[in-house]
């Protein structure tokens, strides 16, 4: 553990000697590390040069800049250094002024060094507690930031406050969306690796924004493919409608991006979207060392197959009848694309055919 850095500010000629003699064991054992200044301006210079100083021992009456003026300057600068006043001016007026300007404690002269050491250690302990609290706050902010990469903002805020964020393993209705870039593998073969990563980031940013805007969450990214779920952690009556609306918004976002790409002399992109609705199993999978929340089941597999079907049907969006029916009864209407009934289709890996709907997208 590094020593606590202490800045002693006092114009008395023997103060530095008294401090180094009284705390020689702590200095030798690297508990404390002292810096010295003779007035407020010198102290500001030292603090600017060493912002990791934890604590300041500060006299009031000094030339150039007195201790109370220094406290005021530090408050204006929002300095986090803790200050113990060490002064012969122990009257209530000076004490209250020092405290109002941010002093943490007060020791009067002539100094009782045993009392000073107790006060210093108490202050250092308080600094350590504050740093621990700040560390926990920063960790919580990082956790919330990580959640916000996968969940819409209101879900991220809710999950960050839960002890068991996503709940126990369970079965529930969800809307599932798969989206990827048509011909991405062939396209990537002709591109530099850095250009591929840049393209993926731009694609993921634009599509994820639409998912979050519709209340969905990103279950995972698989290369250029995005697997999104609506209805996690808690299902609502609008999940199917939100997923269909998201599909439309993704295609609108792609259309706008393609106009930008054409203006920059880059080729247009096409995407394929598969949508389904129904029961799925939600929970953590993996080993004791590494767990990952996932959504699995026939509903998910079917949505993935429908995404693949966009290629053979030459359409950007294929939706299972289950999600169309669920969305059509959500609040009596759905803000979704105008879909065309394409009848039943056989899907790889499924014995029963699936009735599907398609949308030709934007011109």
């Amino acid at each position: 553990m590094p020593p606590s850095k202490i800045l002693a500010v006092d114009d008395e000629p023997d103060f530095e000697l008294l401090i180094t003699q009284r705390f020689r064991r702590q200095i030798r054992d690297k508990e404390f590390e002292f810096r010295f200044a003779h007035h407020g301006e010198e102290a500001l210079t030292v603090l600017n040069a060493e912002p990791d100083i934890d604590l300041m021992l500060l006299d009031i009456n000094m030339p150039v800049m007195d201790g109370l003026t220094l406290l005021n300057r530090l408050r204006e600068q929002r300095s986090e250094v803790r200050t113990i006043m060490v002064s012969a001016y122990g009257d209530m007026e000076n004490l209250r002024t020092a405290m109002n300007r941010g002093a943490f404690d007060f020791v009067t002269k002539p100094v009782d060094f045993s009392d000073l050491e107790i006060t210093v250690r108490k202050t250092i302990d308080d600094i350590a507690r504050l740093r621990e609290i700040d560390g926990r706050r920063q960790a919580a902010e990082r956790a919330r930031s990580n959640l916000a990469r996968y969940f819409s903002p209101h879900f991220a805020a809710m999950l960050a406050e839960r002890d068991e964020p996503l709940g126990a393993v369970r079965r529930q209705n969800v809307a599932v969306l798969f989206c990827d870039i048509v011909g991405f593998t062939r396209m990537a073969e002709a591109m530099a690796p850095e250009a591929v990563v840049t393209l993926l980031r731009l694609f993921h940013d634009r599509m994820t924004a639409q998912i979050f805007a519709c209340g969905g969450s990103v279950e995972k990214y698989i290369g250029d493919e995005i697997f999104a779920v609506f209805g996690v952690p808690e299902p609502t009556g609008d999940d199917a409608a939100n997923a269909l609306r998201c599909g439309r918004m993704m295609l609108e976002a792609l259309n706008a991006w393609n106009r930008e790409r054409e203006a920059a002399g880059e080729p247009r992109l096409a995407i394929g979207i598969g949508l389904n609705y129904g029961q799925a199993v939600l929970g953590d999978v993996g080993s004791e060392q590494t767990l990952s929340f996932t959504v699995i089941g026939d509903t998910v597999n079917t949505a993935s197959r429908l995404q693949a079907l966009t290629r053979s049907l030459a359409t950007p969006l294929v939706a299972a009848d289950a999600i169309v029916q669920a969305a059509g009864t959500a609040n009596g209407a759905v803000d979704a694309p105008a879909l065309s009934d394409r009848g039943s289709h056989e899907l790889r890996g499924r014995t029963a055919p699936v009735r599907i709907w398609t949308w030709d997208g934007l011109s």
Side-chain angles (χ1 to χ4, degrees):
M1 183 176 178
S4 297
K5 296 181 75 171
I6 303 170
L7 171 61
V9 188
D10 198 303
D11 63 327
E12 291 186 10
D14 60 344
F15 186 72
E16 181 174 341
L17 180 61
L18 287 172
I19 289 289
T20 52
Q21 286 182 341
R22 177 60 181 79
F23 293 105
R24 61 184 180 277
R25 180 184 59 78
Q26 291 86 347
I27 295 171
R28 185 190 65 231
D29 295 343
K30 298 190 183 302
E31 283 188 81
F32 299 160
E33 187 176 312
F34 283 93
R35 301 290 184 269
F36 295 93
H38 300 95
H39 52 72
E41 284 195 0
E42 272 190 15
L44 286 173
T45 300
V46 174
L47 290 170
N48 288 332
E50 300 185 60
D52 59 335
I53 288 175
D54 302 309
L55 173 62
M56 182 167 60
L57 306 179
L58 179 63
D59 191 15
I60 291 180
N61 186 25
M62 296 180 294
V64 186
M65 181 188 292
D66 63 73
L68 296 178
T69 302
L70 175 58
L71 281 176
N72 210 41
R73 290 281 296 276
L74 292 174
R75 184 175 61 178
E76 291 172 356
Q77 296 176 7
R78 299 181 181 275
S79 172
E80 295 183 358
V81 66
R82 284 296 178 100
T83 303
I84 298 173
M85 304 306 296
V86 183
S87 175
Y89 291 87
D91 59 280
M92 184 58 68
E93 182 180 352
N94 276 305
L95 191 153
R96 285 181 59 82
T97 301
M99 293 303 179
N100 287 337
R101 295 186 184 185
F104 181 75
D105 213 327
F106 205 106
V107 174
T108 57
K109 292 182 178 179
V111 177
D112 179 337
F113 280 96
S114 295
D115 179 53
L116 177 61
E117 181 177 356
I118 291 171
T119 305
V120 165
R121 290 190 181 279
K122 180 185 70 174
T123 307
I124 289 172
D125 287 345
D126 187 75
I127 292 169
R129 281 194 299 272
L130 287 175
R131 285 180 175 169
E132 182 181 1
I133 292 170
D134 188 58
R136 290 176 181 175
R137 179 186 57 78
Q138 291 181 17
E141 289 177 356
R142 286 194 298 271
R144 182 169 296 200
S145 178
N146 286 333
L147 284 171
R149 296 172 59 196
Y150 299 97
F151 296 92
S152 57
H154 69 283
F155 272 145
M158 178 183 67
L159 294 174
E161 295 170 359
R162 291 187 172 191
D163 292 332
E164 193 177 11
L166 296 168
V169 175
R170 63 198 182 278
R171 182 183 293 270
Q172 71 180 51
N173 282 331
V174 294
V176 179
L177 181 151
F178 280 88
C179 173
D180 73 350
I181 300 174
V182 176
F184 177 77
T185 301
R186 185 172 60 255
M187 185 189 314
E189 289 176 353
M191 297 171 64
E194 296 81 4
V196 173
V197 172
T198 299
L199 176 64
L200 284 177
R201 285 177 176 166
L202 292 171
F203 173 64
H204 288 158
D205 283 347
R206 284 166 169 77
M207 297 303 112
T208 300
Q210 313 315 312
I211 294 168
F212 289 173
C214 296
S217 59
V218 176
E219 210 280 341
K220 60 172 64 76
Y221 298 106
I222 312 165
D224 63 311
E225 184 177 70
I226 302 172
F227 171 18
V229 184
F230 299 77
V232 174
E234 303 296 338
T236 74
D238 297 322
D239 298 329
N242 286 339
L244 280 171
R245 180 164 58 94
C246 182
R248 174 181 59 78
M249 290 171 61
M250 282 178 153
L251 291 169
E252 290 172 350
L254 177 69
N255 199 45
W257 188 23
N258 275 332
R259 287 196 294 269
E260 295 176 16
R261 290 177 61 82
E262 286 179 324
E266 298 173 333
R268 292 178 64 88
L269 298 174
I271 61 174
I273 300 172
L275 294 140
N276 194 19
Y277 180 82
Q279 289 270 299
V281 176
L282 286 66
D284 291 327
V285 297
S287 66
E288 291 184 1
Q289 289 75 29
T290 305
L291 288 174
S292 174
F293 184 82
T294 192
V295 182
I296 57 176
D298 181 65
T299 298
V300 176
N301 296 338
T302 299
S304 179
R305 300 286 188 268
L306 294 177
Q307 180 201 49
L309 194 60
T310 61
R311 298 341 189 230
S312 59
L313 295 180
T315 182
L317 185 148
V318 177
D321 186 62
I323 195 168
V324 175
Q325 297 306 317
T329 59
N331 299 326
V334 57
D335 177 21
L339 300 170
S340 301
D341 187 352
R342 301 291 291 268
S344 295
H345 282 252
E346 300 284 345
L347 299 179
R348 181 171 58 85
R350 296 191 91 255
T351 56
V354 176
R355 183 184 177 190
I356 65 167
W357 299 73
T358 64
W359 186 44
D360 292 334
L362 302 164
S363 58

